[in-house]
Amino acid sequence: MLPNSGERDAAGHPAGDTDRDWWRQAVVYQIYPRSFADANGDGVGDIAGIRSRLGYLARLGVDAIWISPWYPSPMKDAGYDVSDYHDIDPVFGDLGEAEALVREAHAHGLRVIIDLVPNHTSDQHPWFQAALRAGPGSPERDRYIFRDGRGADGQERPNNWRSVFGGPAWTRVPGKDGQPEQWYLHLFAPEQPDLDWNDAAVRADFEATIRFWFDRGVDGFRIDVAHGLAKADGLPDIDDAAVLVAGDDHPHWDRDEAQDVFRSWRAIADSYTPPRVFVAEAWVNEPARLARYVRPDVLHTAFNFDYLLTPWHPVPLRQTIAETLQAHATVGAPPTWVLSNHDVPREVSRFGRVQRDRLVRRLPEVDSQPADLATGLRRSRAAALLMLALPGSAYIYQGQELGLPEVEDLPFGVKQDPVVRQSGGERHGRDGCRVPMPWAGSVPPYGFSPPGAVRPPWLPQPESWACVTVAAQEDRAGSVLELFRTALALRRDRLLGVDEFSWWEVPEGALAFGRGSEFACVVNLLAAPIALPAPWRVMVASGALTPNGYLPPDTAVWLGRG
Ligand code: NOJ
């Protein structure tokens, strides 16, 4: 933890900050800035809103915040289409406010991680505009992945790659004469052209961007699409081009060539006092592949998406945890644990459905069957205790601490995710997990925007959210917010510096492990209550125990001695 007093540098880091390893066990809270808090009443969250809620986050008990992109952007993919990496989009504020936020967060004892988007820029980025003007064969085009088309007139796409959002991954541009000319690659939206990481200018520019923000005191970067930077020479066709994760030797996912880029970034992070950190967004096939990103000279941490993809079922849960711990131990990196983010349906709604008995590589969109939200919430509460008891670092996505469900009935017309448009309306998209936070009050905007706001929230909030606002949960015994606060405080008190982990033998269908000799976590995934070990004391439970002190189904407890 950052001390709350004492001497600090200009960005608010304590002078001589010695806690170089804070990231190894940090709990990081993800802020999706559009949807967190709107201070100026335009219906979109902003930096001033975040600044006004730092006290809430400090009280929640997290160690750091990760802020999704806040850079100038045409917002074709909610800011993941960046047109200037060295500034702030006016909808969020300005650079001075960003600097103030970093200082104030530090004063609250919170580190700040921001998003780096290196796989692609916006098509409005000056580089892409220059590439369009400069024409084939120019150094400007070399920063991106422009190719001639196949076929006699170049009218066929250069290869069969598909966009993650749907449709082909190539768009053809007109030449100077207005006739169709080269194609450019975009693994996401057409407005997000992929950069070519073989290009020296691209590498140098991102190094400068990383320093720009480290110089302003940010503590680290989350690296967007880290598994996508390197593409195979010759850009060969692939059999199944529309998958999110890598197969063996996939031409554009999880290629080893990108590791050198990360090594150069690590050297920059290590040259700062205190050292800065990275967390990779890397969708890969197995924990052993993920471990490559977090070797000692590469990145610090990477999101454990296997855990996010693991159903609420004891067999795959135990397997994912065991494989994660084993793979990270081989490289000496801390594992991370994550249940939700701005790209996936919220776990209350996921866990409120029938659970598979094995991990699936892609989460189904959740609306195929109605959710049992009471069951989903019970399981999510237990899942939170399980996650926060595991060794390493954990991520909380805004609203998770309130038990928010996915909003599944957003009308088509209000949805803004490019996935919806690019899939021709076939996919439901990610808007349902991005609905603005409910802070207080009994009607929308639930304190998200100030009184008298000129516009409603950019996505409508459900009528049913009055009882899940922060204010409604503040003093309600047994609320999800209370559970998170209690767990985070206990975690700080009991688990900081405890590396040990050992499985306990419990009835099949339950999970239990000790963390040192003083702390244990037991989770019941069976249909019947189970007994708890006698000499231990329940420190916190995700739900009420049975009258005779048994642990009911879909419930977790933390046990302590003494
Ligand atoms: C991953 C981000 O989390 C997601 O929101 C975005 O659409 C893609 N990368 C493309 O940048």
Side-chain angles (χ1 to χ4, degrees):
M1 265 299 293
L2 283 170
N4 274 326
S5 58
E7 283 186 33
R8 292 166 184 279
D9 68 14
H13 291 113
D17 186 2
T18 48
D19 188 10
R20 301 169 64 94
D21 283 342
W22 64 271
W23 49 275
R24 289 186 164 269
Q25 41 199 343
V27 177
V28 184
Y29 184 96
Q30 181 189 355
I31 293 179
Y32 195 66
R34 304 181 71 71
S35 304
F36 188 63
D38 165 29
N40 68 0
D42 65 357
V44 179
D46 44 42
I47 293 178
I50 302 173
R51 289 170 69 188
S52 73
R53 302 289 179 180
L54 290 172
Y56 166 77
L57 296 170
R59 175 145 184 253
L60 180 59
V62 297
D63 304 298
I65 53 177
W66 150 37
I67 306 173
S68 284
W70 55 7
Y71 312 107
S73 164
M75 303 288 170
K76 298 295 182 195
D77 183 19
Y80 283 96
D81 48 322
V82 179
S83 55
D84 178 356
Y85 290 82
H86 293 183
D87 208 344
I88 297 292
D89 194 280
V91 81
F92 298 133
D94 61 27
L95 204 49
E97 282 182 89
E99 289 171 344
L101 164 62
V102 172
R103 277 195 307 275
E104 290 165 10
H106 288 160
H108 276 90
L110 299 164
R111 318 258 178 177
V112 181
I113 294 172
I114 61 171
D115 224 302
L116 187 69
V117 189
N119 180 68
H120 42 263
T121 68
S122 159
D123 63 347
Q124 299 306 308
H125 190 286
W127 274 8
F128 192 72
Q129 291 300 312
L132 290 179
R133 286 193 302 272
S138 61
E140 287 86 348
R141 286 230 171 157
D142 286 347
R143 295 179 187 138
Y144 294 90
I145 304 182
F146 279 90
R147 293 291 183 274
D148 293 334
R150 297 197 277 207
D153 302 322
Q155 77 277 29
E156 289 168 35
R157 294 180 189 101
N159 68 23
N160 71 348
W161 296 4
R162 313 265 311 160
S163 157
V164 173
F165 291 166
W170 294 93
T171 291
R172 199 171 189 188
V173 299
K176 290 211 169 73
D177 56 3
Q179 294 303 305
E181 187 225 54
Q182 283 194 304
W183 300 77
Y184 69 89
L185 178 73
H186 51 86
L187 291 180
F188 295 88
E191 297 88 354
Q192 293 168 299
D194 278 51
L195 288 163
D196 187 338
W197 277 87
N198 294 312
D199 188 81
V202 169
R203 292 190 181 216
D205 193 74
F206 271 85
E207 291 185 5
T209 292
I210 288 169
R211 290 182 195 280
F212 178 89
W213 289 103
F214 284 168
D215 288 345
R216 277 158 186 77
V218 309
D219 298 277
F221 281 104
R222 174 258 190 194
I223 304 167
D224 189 57
V225 200
H227 58 305
L229 296 198
K231 279 84 180 176
D233 285 346
L235 311 181
D237 276 347
I238 35 181
D239 295 338
D240 181 5
V243 290
L244 249 186
V245 291
D248 282 344
D249 198 23
H250 191 284
H252 64 68
W253 292 142
D254 189 24
R255 296 192 61 81
D256 284 338
E257 298 92 306
Q259 303 288 322
D260 274 348
V261 174
F262 303 144
R263 276 199 186 87
S264 68
W265 294 357
R266 176 66 182 253
I268 296 173
D270 285 348
S271 73
Y272 278 79
T273 307
R276 311 303 207 242
V277 301
F278 294 104
V279 53
E281 186 214 20
W283 292 86
V284 298
N285 250 352
E286 53 182 3
R289 288 299 305 176
L290 198 64
R292 299 183 60 73
Y293 290 74
V294 293
R295 286 171 289 171
D297 61 336
V298 192
L299 301 172
H300 301 74
T301 52
F303 290 104
N304 181 359
F305 292 126
D306 273 15
Y307 191 67
L308 186 151
L309 294 168
T310 303
W312 184 249
H313 187 287
V315 174
L317 259 178
R318 181 168 174 149
Q319 185 181 344
T320 301
I321 294 168
E323 286 177 6
T324 299
L325 294 175
Q326 197 274 334
H328 285 73
T330 60
V331 290
T336 69
W337 311 98
V338 59
L339 288 166
S340 57
N341 63 32
H342 64 291
D343 288 332
V344 297
R346 287 187 180 271
E347 73 270 27
V348 171
S349 303
R350 295 203 314 268
F351 293 160
R353 273 139 170 137
V354 174
Q355 299 294 293
R356 293 167 185 253
D357 59 2
R358 79 203 119 81
L359 182 152
V360 281
R361 281 287 154 203
R362 189 173 191 144
L363 283 177
E365 290 193 328
V366 290
D367 70 333
S368 49
Q369 28 160 344
D372 169 356
L373 292 181
T375 299
L377 187 60
R378 195 167 59 246
R379 291 175 174 169
S380 305
R381 294 173 59 109
L385 282 194
L386 168 58
M387 173 175 88
L388 293 172
L390 291 167
S393 144
Y395 284 79
I396 297 173
Y397 175 47
Q398 64 180 47
Q400 185 176 349
E401 80 280 20
L402 304 178
L404 295 187
E406 182 79 359
V407 181
E408 296 185 50
D409 57 357
L410 287 172
F412 180 83
V414 305
K415 290 189 181 178
Q416 307 210 9
D417 183 357
V419 165
V420 178
R421 171 173 39 92
Q422 241 171 280
S423 67
E426 224 170 76
R427 284 164 61 184
H428 294 269
R430 300 164 292 179
D431 296 284
C433 64
R434 300 174 175 179
V435 171
M437 279 277 284
W439 291 96
S442 52
V443 290
Y446 300 115
F448 168 70
S449 300
V454 289
R455 285 205 209 99
W458 69 281
L459 284 173
Q461 300 157 303
E463 298 294 328
S464 57
W465 275 11
C467 56
V468 292
T469 63
V470 171
Q473 299 199 34
E474 274 289 348
D475 300 314
R476 193 165 74 215
S479 70
V480 186
L481 183 58
E482 183 200 58
L483 178 71
F484 270 85
R485 282 183 179 153
T486 306
L488 289 168
L490 275 171
R491 178 183 156 105
R492 254 185 205 174
D493 197 35
R494 300 295 182 110
L495 286 178
L496 276 197
V498 179
D499 290 332
E500 297 92 335
F501 174 95
S502 56
W503 289 111
W504 280 11
E505 288 313 317
V506 282
E508 204 179 323
L511 293 176
F513 52 86
R515 299 287 316 281
S517 55
E518 305 292 313
F519 183 105
C521 175
V522 185
V523 191
N524 184 4
L525 293 108
L526 284 158
I530 57 170
L532 290 168
W536 292 73
R537 184 174 59 83
V538 173
M539 296 189 291
V540 59
S542 67
L545 302 187
T546 66
N548 57 353
Y550 277 41
L551 185 66
D554 292 327
T555 309
V557 277
W558 286 2
L559 304 175
R561 275 199 206 271

